[in-house]
Amino acid sequence: MEYLDNRQHNFSLLEFINIMADKKTIYVTPHSHYDVVWAFNKEDYYHINEIILKNAVEMIKKFDFRFLVEQTYLLEMIEERNPELFSDIKEAIVKNKIEIADGQYVMPDPMMPIGEVLVRAILFGNKYCKDKFGVDVPVAWAADGFGLNAQMPQVYRKSGYKWLAFRRGLPKTIGYRVSEFVWVGLDGSKILSHWMPLGYRAGLEIDKWEDSYRTLSSFATTSSILMPCGSGGVPPQIDTPDKVEQWNNEHDDSQMIISVPSDFFKSLERGSGDLAEYSGELYSPELANVFPDVVSSRIELKLAFKDCENSLITAEKMATLAWIYGRTYPVDFLANMWKAMLFLVNHDVISCCGIDEIYDEAWKNISAIKEEANRLMEDCAHYLSKGDNSGNSIAVFNPNNWETTDWVEAELDLAPEWNEEIGIALNGEEIPSEVLEFEYKEESGRCRARLGFIATVPPMGYCLYRLVKKNKAYDSGIEARGNEVINKFFRLSVDDKTGIVTVFSKDGKKLLEGNELIIDQEIGDLYFHKSEFDEPIGSESGKGIHFSTFVPGELRVHKGPVRTVITFENSFYCLQWPYYLTKKFGSILQRHKTLDICKQIMIYNDIPRIGFRTTIRSTQSHIRIRVRFDTCMIVPNYTRQTQFGVIDLPLIKTLEESVRFPSLNWFNCQEGKHGLAFFSRGVPINEIKAGNIYCTLLRSVSVLSTDGQSGPLIPTPEAMELGEHNYTYAVYPHSGDWKEAKIHQRGHEFNHRLFAMQTDSQNLKGELRSFILEPDNLIISALKRAERDDAVIVRFFETRGEKCHAILHVPNHIKSASCVNLLEEEESKLDIKDGLLEMDVSPFEIVTLRLTLEKLPLEETKALSFPLDVKSMLCE
């Protein structure tokens, strides 16, 4: 089988005897799960784990003892702060007394970040293990987190892992029947996997080993039994060696070995035979009850994280393009930004299920990443466009590997002779634009403006536009009639009493109704939503307890030359009078206002997307706010984006049935030829029921855990989410299925957006396009410098589940190419002919290329030929 290692394994004499006698071998694995932060802060956990590792090293020196270490973040801290302990750990690793299992920089939650971020956690950690200790990491050890996404078998296998041990997420189809199976990824990659039936604490309480053994044996598929012996923040137990010896003296049917995970898996492989195979996410019903609530805890931080995630990926691409064309690559700068990002994806940071104080560092990292990534993008953009941040041109950059057309906004600093009549020109022809803000600053004698327009930008490159004095009046082609707006794709109306949006096709078919806010009671914690009510506290459609009410404010329709923006404002009051017979008498008096809401709806004539920007200012604690959309479908099929791919959700057959699931950036509903795609920038789309889509905007809670099982009962007042919150999401009605509508591209570019920079590029006479990748089911997730040399790494993945022939257009100074794994280790050579690199790609395959090139200064690169005709895009 693919997952089996072909090398011969060396078994101990005891293991060999047990195998021949058909005895069970219990692999007791001492370990301590490392939380970077959670119920203690980072310094506390460092101190705790320093003590734990000191004890482990002492036991290794005195006894036949072994130990497991998970994450290199801890080892890096020990190397810096305690060189003597680090030296002892290194010696134990070299002697195979300590095994690094998982070996990621931190242990991320595999369901929340995008796939590229998960790859970097592995890459940084495994590189550290190789550089510092000379070891590979064969075992993926998923001790914590809220499930495993469906592409992890491929990610693991292409990162050198042979085996997986995991704690949570055993799927329904396997049920609680076996602890070993073969997990199959979306692309067909296979990894031998072990589910921990008793978690990583199976052997923690030594006096309960008999009970644990019986339970573990009932699930084991072979005579090899893994018994993790540890927990989070628990030191190794000094009596473990004696208790193991005692067990062996008292039991004839089994033998116990103090071991590390790789020993267990080597034995498991030998006796496994044909194991059951499972394809799909490791996402159990138990996780479905908690994960959708976790993703909406401390929502403000999660929204900021998503913004940082996208900014860092784009900044790295820009830095790599600039480096290819002669600029110095910021190696240490980007490495530090990535380490700051990886701290954020640690399973107890990104889940936001920890104490308040640990998020101070998270917010500092977010602020630094956002500021530095934006600065790096600006510097590289100006380098590539041969300009600085002044002048009468705008360079619009596209981080995607396909031509992208979308709304873009540019911040401008202008000479005093400019006024609000600012326009934009392409190829000497003025195009529609909108001045969104304009201000004359007397202290500087300059004008500050913000300009919006629709830009079309070539793949992985830029297009130059010229600022001009506006001399044309444009009509967007959008028709506005009161609170109704009509463009070439649909008709949309907003109820002036509720703010609820209704969308019809041009032939009158109802496509969508919603953007309705629903307020529920929230008496849960950072893990679980709980409410004592069967109905909401209030909703914009009028449902809820009779004491409270929404009061509508102003509805405004602004029709501009490019887009139309509808703004609706309302407020929520906890008390109204009369609170009985309100439908008969009306709501006359309202008191105790706790929410102010502003909802904007953006409609374009040339883009079939409805954009939503919702702002909530809350002074009310212990509520949950969701936004609801009715898809107007009877029995739709649901498809959602996952890391490096797409998966289908189970078909919902009854009105009462619902599906709660993790979400990334997009989600699609399909019924026949009619489809609706939902895009979000960090807003969790986390429940579907009876054709309705629910997105949780915030959960206001004040305690880490209320049950004493998920965690301690620690107050978390900062998790009450009081204050202002801003949300951006969109709906994309389409005909045909999601593949025909290219929803994978539309959803991707909604997050990986065009960005515009003011520049003085007067002499640049062309657009820049690079790394064009065909066909359109391939998405470039990373463009970076290689970790160990001056090569370019290009990573892309197939996203429609279709086999294809990839064609990558590369600059003609690329010297050679090879296919590498996710650790950037070479696997095969590739040919480049006439500037084209071609290869076959399997469904949902992740491909990583290593390209060597001759770097040239920017002036020389302007003369280089590309395999495509480059249109002149000089804006006169």
Side-chain angles (χ1 to χ4, degrees):
M1 299 179 73
E2 179 184 343
Y3 64 86
L4 294 179
D5 182 31
N6 295 321
R7 294 177 299 175
Q8 295 295 316
H9 297 312
N10 296 318
F11 294 95
S12 70
L13 179 60
L14 179 59
E15 289 175 295
F16 181 75
I17 292 171
N18 290 343
I19 291 169
M20 298 304 294
D22 199 26
K23 272 189 175 183
K24 293 187 184 295
T25 303
I26 306 164
Y27 293 86
V28 172
T29 304
H31 74 96
S32 179
H33 172 58
Y34 172 54
D35 290 317
V36 179
V37 291
W38 180 50
F40 289 107
N41 63 29
K42 187 169 76 172
E43 286 303 311
D44 289 338
Y45 275 120
Y46 172 78
H47 178 65
I48 289 167
N49 283 273
E50 187 180 52
I51 293 172
I52 289 170
L53 286 171
K54 282 180 180 178
N55 291 351
V57 166
E58 288 303 311
M59 290 183 67
I60 287 169
K61 290 178 179 179
K62 292 179 181 179
F63 309 108
D64 184 14
F65 188 74
R66 303 174 80 181
F67 199 72
L68 178 157
V69 174
E70 299 170 337
Q71 302 158 66
T72 64
Y73 189 92
L74 174 61
L75 295 174
E76 193 175 73
M77 292 177 70
I78 291 171
E79 180 184 19
E80 179 182 341
R81 299 187 185 190
N82 193 334
E84 183 179 351
L85 176 59
F86 183 79
S87 178
D88 287 339
I89 293 170
K90 182 175 182 178
E91 182 180 352
I93 291 172
V94 171
K95 292 181 177 179
N96 199 27
K97 292 294 184 179
I98 290 179
E99 178 167 278
I100 300 175
D102 208 52
Q104 300 190 54
Y105 186 68
V106 297
M107 187 175 287
D109 183 275
M111 302 296 272
M112 296 189 207
I114 59 174
E116 190 58 40
V117 175
L118 299 177
V119 169
R120 302 309 174 88
I122 294 172
L123 179 61
F124 273 62
N126 278 250
K127 182 176 182 294
Y128 184 89
C129 294
K130 196 74 170 177
D131 291 347
K132 299 296 181 179
F133 312 114
V135 298
D136 297 317
V137 183
V139 179
W141 184 262
D144 214 343
F146 295 94
L148 292 161
N149 73 72
Q151 279 285 43
M152 289 310 294
Q154 182 179 185
V155 171
Y156 284 144
R157 295 296 288 167
K158 289 190 173 183
S159 301
Y161 295 101
K162 302 171 188 174
W163 311 296
L164 164 68
F166 70 99
R167 177 183 170 198
R168 299 192 186 108
L170 191 72
K172 266 184 178 180
T173 51
I174 293 177
Y176 295 107
R177 296 192 291 273
V178 295
S179 53
E180 290 82 36
F181 61 96
V182 177
W183 187 21
V184 184
L186 291 180
D187 72 316
S189 296
K190 298 180 180 181
I191 188 165
L192 179 59
S193 303
H194 168 81
W195 164 62
M196 306 175 193
L198 297 175
Y200 55 50
R201 303 184 187 95
L204 178 64
E205 297 181 69
I206 294 176
D207 60 343
K208 295 182 179 179
W209 275 1
E210 290 281 1
D211 292 338
S212 295
Y213 168 63
R214 281 192 294 270
T215 301
L216 296 174
S217 295
S218 68
F219 291 105
T221 56
T222 72
S223 59
S224 300
I225 296 171
L226 180 66
M227 185 182 284
C229 185
S231 187
V234 175
Q237 301 173 70
I238 197 166
D239 56 342
T240 301
D242 290 340
K243 293 298 183 180
V244 168
E245 184 178 357
Q246 180 181 337
W247 178 282
N248 290 333
N249 290 333
E250 295 175 354
H251 294 76
D252 295 329
D253 64 338
S254 63
Q255 287 291 312
M256 194 174 272
I257 303 172
I258 298 177
S259 69
V260 291
S262 61
D263 290 344
F264 161 75
F265 277 107
K266 289 173 185 177
S267 177
L268 177 65
E269 278 191 336
R270 188 178 186 279
S272 61
D274 291 328
L275 294 175
E277 292 189 356
Y278 173 76
S279 301
E281 292 176 324
L282 296 184
Y283 183 66
S284 64
E286 290 77 16
L287 290 176
N289 288 331
V290 59
F291 186 78
D293 297 330
V294 166
V295 296
S296 50
S297 297
R298 300 186 192 271
I299 191 68
E300 191 71 12
L301 190 140
K302 288 187 171 73
L303 296 175
F305 165 77
K306 182 59 65 175
D307 190 33
C308 283
E309 188 180 56
N310 297 330
S311 295
L312 180 52
I313 294 288
T314 298
E316 184 180 60
K317 288 180 180 178
M318 292 294 299
T320 306
L321 285 175
W323 170 63
I324 290 170
Y325 292 115
R327 189 178 187 270
T328 301
Y329 192 84
V331 177
D332 294 337
F333 181 82
L334 277 170
N336 289 334
M337 279 210 291
W338 270 110
K339 287 184 176 181
M341 172 63 72
L342 294 178
F343 172 84
L344 296 174
V345 302
N346 169 55
H347 57 280
D348 286 313
V349 177
I350 193 172
S351 65
C352 296
C353 291
I355 59 175
D356 284 347
E357 68 175 281
I358 67 176
Y359 297 103
D360 292 342
E361 182 172 355
W363 279 111
K364 287 178 183 176
N365 284 10
I366 285 171
S367 177
I369 292 169
K370 191 169 182 178
E371 180 180 343
E372 297 301 331
N374 288 340
R375 183 168 65 85
L376 181 58
M377 282 191 285
E378 289 182 15
D379 291 347
C380 293
H382 291 135
Y383 178 86
L384 288 167
S385 61
K386 291 184 61 183
D388 55 29
N389 58 357
S390 62
N392 293 341
S393 297
I394 295 176
V396 183
F397 289 81
N398 177 14
N400 304 305
N401 56 282
W402 57 86
E403 183 178 87
T404 300
T405 298
D406 209 342
W407 170 265
V408 68
E409 297 178 7
E411 298 283 346
L412 304 175
D413 178 59
L414 300 169
E417 59 266 21
W418 286 91
N419 56 32
E420 295 187 43
E421 295 301 312
I422 306 170
I424 196 88
L426 176 65
N427 287 336
E429 292 291 328
E430 186 179 348
I431 62 173
S433 62
E434 297 182 18
V435 178
L436 307 174
E437 294 179 16
F438 186 88
E439 179 184 11
Y440 176 74
K441 292 186 169 291
E442 293 186 6
E443 64 274 15
S444 63
R446 306 280 295 178
C447 299
R448 189 193 69 83
R450 186 160 58 92
L451 189 69
F453 58 100
I454 300 292
T456 297
V457 188
M460 299 282 283
Y462 64 77
C463 179
L464 283 173
Y465 293 80
R466 177 64 57 84
L467 291 173
V468 296
K469 296 283 187 180
K470 184 178 290 185
N471 56 25
K472 289 185 180 180
Y474 290 94
D475 188 301
S476 65
I478 300 174
E479 185 179 354
R481 305 173 186 164
N483 60 349
E484 184 177 77
V485 173
I486 304 169
N487 69 2
K488 65 173 69 172
F489 305 105
F490 44 73
R491 174 168 58 89
L492 179 148
S493 64
V494 179
D495 190 297
D496 60 0
K497 298 293 190 296
T498 66
I500 293 175
V501 173
T502 306
V503 181
F504 294 89
S505 66
K506 295 305 288 287
D507 60 5
K509 177 181 174 62
K510 190 176 182 181
L511 302 177
L512 178 76
E513 182 178 86
N515 201 34
E516 176 194 6
L517 296 189
I518 300 171
I519 305 172
D520 300 305
Q521 182 193 38
E522 179 61 86
I523 56 172
D525 53 33
L526 291 171
Y527 292 95
F528 295 99
H529 163 69
K530 296 177 185 176
S531 174
E532 295 176 321
F533 300 161
D534 294 328
E535 61 179 338
I537 294 173
S539 67
E540 289 178 319
S541 62
K543 297 177 182 178
I545 62 175
H546 59 274
F547 289 103
S548 58
T549 187
F550 280 90
V551 176
E554 185 180 8
L555 186 147
R556 303 184 300 275
V557 179
H558 172 73
K559 182 184 175 184
V562 181
R563 64 177 187 173
T564 294
V565 179
I566 304 173
T567 302
F568 175 80
E569 296 177 351
N570 63 354
S571 300
F572 178 74
Y573 290 81
C574 296
L575 181 65
Q576 66 175 338
W577 178 84
Y579 39 79
Y580 290 109
L581 300 178
T582 308
K583 288 186 177 180
K584 184 173 185 178
F585 295 107
S587 179
I588 300 171
L589 183 66
Q590 303 87 30
R591 290 292 184 266
H592 307 291
K593 182 176 71 169
T594 56
L595 297 175
D596 282 317
I597 299 151
C598 178
K599 297 195 288 188
Q600 290 186 309
I601 302 99
M602 283 74 69
I603 302 100
Y604 309 87
N605 199 44
D606 296 319
I607 301 174
R609 183 181 73 214
I610 305 167
F612 298 93
R613 185 180 297 121
T614 299
T615 299
I616 297 175
R617 289 176 289 276
S618 174
T619 60
Q620 185 164 352
S621 61
H622 297 98
I623 58 171
R624 177 180 72 169
I625 303 178
R626 296 188 294 169
V627 61
R628 181 190 69 86
F629 287 95
D630 182 351
T631 64
C632 301
M633 298 179 185
I634 308 301
V635 188
N637 294 310
Y638 299 102
T639 304
R640 67 171 175 82
Q641 179 198 23
T642 189
Q643 288 81 356
F644 294 123
V646 174
I647 62 173
D648 295 323
L649 290 178
L651 184 66
I652 297 177
K653 300 178 181 178
T654 68
L655 292 177
E656 294 77 22
E657 187 180 359
S658 70
V659 175
R660 289 158 56 84
F661 55 90
S663 63
L664 277 180
N665 298 331
W666 66 263
F667 172 84
N668 190 71
C669 314
Q670 193 76 36
E671 190 169 56
K673 295 183 178 180
H674 168 48
L676 278 174
F678 293 81
F679 307 147
S680 91
R681 293 178 189 158
V683 178
I685 307 167
N686 51 15
E687 184 175 11
I688 52 177
K689 184 176 182 180
N692 290 297
I693 308 296
Y694 294 92
C695 310
T696 302
L697 301 185
L698 69 83
R699 289 197 314 116
S700 174
V701 299
S702 58
V703 66
L704 192 151
S705 172
T706 58
D707 59 14
Q709 299 296 318
S710 304
L713 281 71
I714 299 173
T716 57
E718 292 180 13
M720 290 194 290
E721 298 288 72
L722 305 178
E724 183 172 305
H725 305 273
N726 296 282
Y727 309 91
T728 303
Y729 45 99
V731 175
Y732 193 96
H734 61 88
S735 58
D737 65 18
W738 67 268
K739 297 178 182 180
E740 295 174 75
K742 300 183 180 179
I743 297 303
H744 55 291
Q745 287 188 344
R746 304 292 84 81
H748 188 86
E749 64 196 20
F750 185 74
N751 279 272
H752 299 269
R753 306 184 292 281
L754 301 180
F755 68 96
M757 309 296 302
Q758 184 179 4
T759 181
D760 65 347
S761 300
Q762 301 290 329
N763 302 315
L764 195 59
K765 297 185 181 297
E767 65 180 20
L768 173 69
R769 57 177 64 199
S770 62
F771 297 101
I772 302 162
L773 180 62
E774 302 169 306
D776 61 15
N777 55 329
L778 303 175
I779 295 178
I780 291 179
S781 66
L783 181 67
K784 62 183 286 289
R785 201 192 81 154
E787 293 298 310
R788 298 189 182 276
D789 59 20
D790 285 346
V792 176
I793 296 294
V794 180
R795 183 156 32 253
F796 63 87
F797 61 97
E798 198 286 318
T799 192
R800 288 203 306 227
E802 300 171 352
K803 184 176 180 180
C804 66
H805 185 71
I807 302 175
L808 178 66
H809 303 251
V810 297
N812 62 6
H813 58 299
I814 296 289
K815 294 190 292 185
S816 62
S818 59
C819 195
V820 297
N821 64 16
L822 295 177
L823 300 182
E824 302 177 9
E825 299 164 337
E826 185 171 296
E827 295 182 334
S828 61
K829 298 284 188 183
L830 296 171
D831 294 327
I832 298 175
K833 185 176 181 180
D834 298 328
L836 300 179
L837 188 156
E838 300 188 43
M839 63 184 298
D840 290 330
V841 178
S842 300
F844 294 120
E845 183 178 359
I846 304 166
V847 177
T848 306
L849 304 177
R850 181 182 179 276
L851 310 175
T852 58
L853 70 158
E854 179 184 356
K855 288 190 302 171
L856 299 173
L858 184 62
E859 290 299 326
E860 294 182 50
T861 63
K862 295 303 175 187
L864 290 173
S865 62
F866 282 73
L868 293 182
D869 292 332
V870 180
K871 299 179 292 182
S872 174
M873 297 294 286
L874 177 65
C875 302
E876 302 293 347

